[in-house]
Amino acid sequence: MTVWSSPMNNRDYARVLQEIAQLMEISGENRFKVRAFENATRTVETLSEDLDQIIDRGDLQGLKGIGASIANDLRQIRERGTCDIHQMLLERLDPGLLDMLKVQGLGPKRIKLVYNELGVSNLNALKEAAEAGRLRELKGLGAKTEEKVLAEIARLAQGADRAPLPQARRVAESLRDQLDALPQSIRVAIAGSLRRGRETIGDIDLLVATDEPGPIHQAFVALPEVKETLASGDTKTSVRLHNGIQVDLRTVKNEVFGSALHYFTGSKEHHIELRTRAKRQGLRVSEYGVFKENEDTPIASRTEEELYEALGLSFIAPELREGRGEISAAEKSDLPTLVEPEQIRGDVHMHTTETDGRHSIEEMADAAKALGYDYIVITDHSQAVRVANGMTPERFGDHIARIREADGRIQGIRILAGIEVDILKDGSLDMDHDLLAEADWVVGSVHSHFNLDPDTMTERLLTGMRTGLLSCLGHPTGRILGGRNGYRYDFDAVVEACVELGVALELNGSSGRLDLNAELAEKAHRKGAMLVLGSDAHSTTGLKDLRFAVQQARRAWLGPDAILNTLTVDELLKATRPALR
DNA sequence: GCCGTTTTCGGCCCGACTGTTTTCAGTCG
């Protein structure tokens, strides 16, 4: 079974379930029933295994939030791409209503109202109704709502959606530092999905501990990045930046910083599960702490560690807080020990001025030393990548010599000679095999002919790997965050070949990629494959992108043993390419 | 619709902010 070429992939199943939840909500269905479909959506979305395989095994009802009824729906969806309840809702309601849910400030109740009263069933009709001043005729809506709705529709038309994690991270760090510099702020933290390391970010969440919230909120809305204020109260302010990203600021007393950070980090699913569990134990959890029933003084609030302890749980890292079984694992002290940034000894993927990088071997080595690494691998492009000034065999031979020379000259870090070699359309490698054998580390990547049919693409990758010369597959799916989808091939077959041939899979941390993503990394690990982190840096600052790869590895529940970069240089060189040893 | 170390029935997280209201519903995270 394949990931990319399956007629129904997990995302398709999740989309149908989500549409059911949304249409049910608009139709005024029982909210807990709606939540059941939302829960099932999340479960399917974050599976690291193909749902098709689970259906084949008859294990559907073993999944969290999926009972007999939704299991039946899923089997129908597999057969027909839809199911009875989905069909029925679509017949009764207009699918254009789903777009209207994207308008902030407009929820299911108001959508139902404008649908029933004005016959408005899509964004265009909504816009016309707002412009004509007809929304204010409805109970509970007024002129201000009309104004907001129109502004939201205009924003949606610009296509502003979720931002890639690395981009949002940089924006958030700048805002954090500015808030941190205010005299009234005691400490500042980035929370939300950024802290959990989700690969794309809907908005930025910032938390400030302070005894004087007023000046903090005033200074926040006056920051140069801020375009408009969406809402502002005593403890919470929301703004939109000029770049379109929404930022929520919450201020709290320092005494409750831990519980507030926990609350503001999410996810929603983690909170619901945690709070439901607490309630059964006679406890209440909010952003102000853990409370015993009917008491106002928290038994834990200062730190997240205290909060989990008070609930009888071992500490759960932010990257795991997705409601994917982390709470029951924490109950049994059964959580994995996750890989830590400090355990990373080296970086195996970077470019220099020899091809399309901005800095020299020496400059990259110095920057890597400053990051505390023991080793780096220089991996410039092969000639097929013309736009990147890829190397001919002659140039690569010279480059190896220069890298060896630099390695001998520069103290305090090992510099290994490598290459990012193209896996060409027919699966052959874009470099002399003798030179590839001479290199210490070879990243094999696809940079052309992305649209081959899945079988051909699979065979292409397998052919490249069977040379025995590849250390790892670089950015294995080729997806660009918010851009193109990955190329389509039989992921399972390739992972199995990786295990058999001793080829690692890269977790590429560069800004636009995060490839493999957490789900596929987890899947590859479960199938026994080795994983290796690469920054794919094209400059000294790009080296820092490796942290994003670490974070995705943590989201995949991976420990140091699963990651080759935690090995010493000698161990690393023995880990792959068994045929050459 | 799902679920169970009190339950196979009766529950299902918790609080802040807005707009349109005279005490609160709707939305959001």
Side-chain angles (χ1 to χ4, degrees):
Chain A
M1 198 51 60
T2 70
V3 169
W4 303 110
S5 61
S6 163
M8 287 296 292
N9 64 38
N10 290 0
R11 218 169 284 243
D12 297 323
Y13 285 108
R15 186 181 42 76
V16 178
L17 291 177
Q18 185 176 22
E19 284 185 11
I20 294 172
Q22 292 177 327
L23 290 167
M24 274 184 167
E25 208 177 2
I26 294 171
S27 72
E29 181 63 83
N30 175 298
R31 64 195 175 100
F32 299 111
K33 195 163 158 182
V34 172
R35 185 189 294 161
F37 278 92
E38 284 172 349
N39 289 340
T41 303
R42 282 286 293 182
T43 295
V44 171
E45 244 170 14
T46 56
L47 281 176
S48 58
E49 190 183 0
D50 288 348
L51 193 70
D52 282 339
Q53 289 179 342
I54 298 172
I55 294 177
D56 286 338
R57 286 204 312 270
D59 278 350
L60 269 182
Q61 288 189 64
L63 299 176
K64 197 158 76 74
I66 294 182
S69 173
I70 293 182
N72 188 40
D73 294 338
L74 287 169
R75 283 188 292 266
Q76 287 184 12
I77 294 169
R78 183 187 199 179
E79 295 301 314
R80 326 195 316 246
T82 180
C83 60
D84 294 342
I85 178 74
H86 185 233
Q87 284 289 92
M88 197 195 73
L89 286 161
L90 282 175
E91 278 163 27
R92 216 171 57 194
L93 297 165
D94 199 299
L97 296 170
L98 297 171
D99 292 330
M100 289 167 62
L101 276 173
K102 292 182 193 146
V103 176
Q104 280 207 47
L106 219 52
K109 297 263 167 50
R110 286 172 179 168
I111 288 173
K112 189 184 184 192
L113 186 67
V114 296
Y115 180 53
N116 287 342
E117 299 296 319
L118 303 176
V120 165
S121 63
N122 58 57
L123 278 180
N124 270 337
L126 179 66
K127 185 171 177 228
E128 284 169 20
E131 281 168 347
R134 299 198 57 201
L135 296 186
R136 71 186 71 178
E137 297 167 7
L138 304 176
K139 186 174 162 59
L141 302 183
K144 213 148 189 177
T145 308
E146 273 174 359
E147 211 175 288
K148 280 197 158 182
V149 163
L150 285 173
E152 266 294 296
I153 291 175
R155 194 180 65 81
L156 286 171
Q158 288 173 3
D161 209 10
R162 298 180 69 87
L165 168 75
Q167 183 201 332
R169 182 90 213 171
R170 279 182 265 279
V171 175
E173 285 175 356
S174 162
L175 296 173
R176 177 196 62 193
D177 294 346
Q178 293 179 73
L179 290 171
D180 210 16
L182 297 174
Q184 298 87 359
S185 85
I186 300 170
R187 50 180 162 159
V188 186
I190 296 169
S193 51
L194 258 178
R195 182 162 181 249
R196 302 200 311 278
R198 278 201 63 178
E199 57 190 43
T200 62
I201 302 301
D203 56 27
I204 292 171
D205 298 304
L206 297 169
L207 179 68
V208 177
T210 181
D211 291 323
E212 298 175 76
I216 302 273
H217 288 275
Q218 283 163 27
F220 178 60
V221 298
L223 290 176
E225 291 93 330
V226 173
K227 182 182 170 199
E228 56 177 334
T229 303
L230 303 174
S232 191
D234 296 336
T235 66
K236 197 175 149 185
T237 294
S238 293
V239 300
R240 188 168 306 285
L241 306 181
H242 290 293
N243 62 17
I245 297 178
Q246 182 177 327
V247 186
D248 297 333
L249 168 71
R250 187 80 188 256
T251 49
V252 295
K253 294 270 187 201
N254 199 31
E255 294 78 50
V256 300
F257 193 78
S259 49
L261 180 61
H262 179 264
Y263 153 75
F264 220 25
T265 297
S267 66
K268 184 177 151 194
E269 290 73 18
H270 180 78
H271 281 319
I272 291 176
E273 194 176 334
L274 193 79
R275 291 172 176 191
T276 306
R277 179 180 172 279
K279 209 167 164 177
R280 280 202 303 270
Q281 300 172 323
L283 299 169
R284 185 177 91 248
V285 181
S286 78
E287 56 262 56
Y288 300 111
V290 180
F291 299 83
K292 287 184 179 159
E293 236 167 346
N294 305 322
E295 287 187 16
D296 294 335
T297 310
I299 58 172
S301 67
R302 288 189 161 271
T303 67
E304 290 188 325
E305 284 79 3
E306 281 177 19
L307 180 141
Y308 282 114
E309 198 185 337
L311 296 170
L313 298 170
S314 48
F315 181 77
I316 300 174
E319 291 90 343
L320 302 186
R321 298 178 198 166
E322 298 289 350
R324 293 183 60 206
E326 71 277 8
I327 290 173
S328 56
E331 246 170 15
K332 294 175 273 188
S333 299
D334 208 15
L335 284 170
T337 303
L338 300 179
V339 60
E340 299 287 341
E342 303 75 38
Q343 293 171 317
I344 301 302
R345 295 173 185 259
D347 189 341
V348 301
H349 189 164
M350 68 190 66
H351 301 268
T352 70
T353 48
E354 179 62 27
T355 58
D356 59 347
R358 296 223 316 268
H359 294 105
S360 65
I361 299 169
E362 288 78 6
E363 288 168 322
M364 296 302 275
D366 282 346
K369 236 176 5 182
L371 291 173
Y373 292 155
D374 297 338
Y375 56 87
I376 55 172
V377 190
I378 304 293
T379 55
D380 276 301
H381 287 289
S382 62
Q383 60 186 337
V385 194
R386 291 289 170 91
V387 290
N389 186 27
M391 298 178 291
T392 61
E394 291 70 30
R395 278 175 59 202
F396 182 40
D398 293 345
H399 197 39
I400 291 178
R402 270 195 305 276
I403 295 169
R404 301 254 184 260
E405 185 275 325
D407 184 39
R409 178 161 41 84
I410 296 174
Q411 301 300 306
I413 188 163
R414 278 297 307 277
I415 310 172
L416 302 177
I419 184 170
E420 180 176 17
V421 66
D422 261 52
I423 302 173
L424 300 171
K425 188 181 176 189
D426 64 358
S428 61
L429 302 182
D430 182 32
M431 185 51 66
D432 288 357
H433 283 199
D434 289 348
L435 285 169
L436 292 177
E438 189 185 332
D440 301 311
W441 180 266
V442 176
V443 180
S445 299
V446 167
H447 291 116
S448 63
H449 300 100
F450 299 129
N451 293 320
L452 300 182
D453 72 83
D455 289 345
T456 310
M457 184 62 90
T458 304
E459 198 48 42
R460 173 187 188 174
L461 293 171
L462 294 178
T463 302
M465 290 161 62
R466 287 189 193 117
T467 60
L469 293 166
L470 298 187
S471 308
C472 75
L473 277 184
H475 42 74
T477 76
R479 68 94 174 254
I480 299 294
L481 269 177
R484 65 163 188 257
N485 290 326
Y487 14 91
R488 299 168 353 117
Y489 65 92
D490 188 335
F491 185 74
D492 291 13
V494 168
V495 169
E496 281 154 22
C498 281
V499 175
E500 185 191 329
L501 298 166
V503 178
L505 288 148
E506 182 186 40
L507 228 164
N508 185 303
S510 74
S511 297
R513 294 190 184 272
L514 304 184
D515 178 13
L516 295 176
N517 67 18
E519 281 80 28
L520 291 180
E522 185 178 352
K523 175 176 193 168
H525 173 66
R526 226 191 16 247
K527 290 175 90 76
M530 298 179 281
L531 292 156
V532 69
L533 312 185
S535 70
D536 202 354
H538 286 69
S539 67
T540 51
T541 53
L543 290 169
K544 290 183 185 150
D545 282 352
L546 201 72
R547 63 183 170 151
F548 298 118
V550 174
Q551 203 171 24
Q552 295 310 304
R554 290 168 61 85
R555 284 180 67 80
W557 294 51
L558 300 182
D561 295 348
I563 308 292
L564 294 187
N565 311 61
T566 62
L567 300 175
T568 65
V569 67
D570 292 334
E571 291 166 340
L572 176 80
L573 293 175
K574 287 182 204 146
T576 66
R577 305 204 293 178
L580 291 181
R581 293 203 294 267

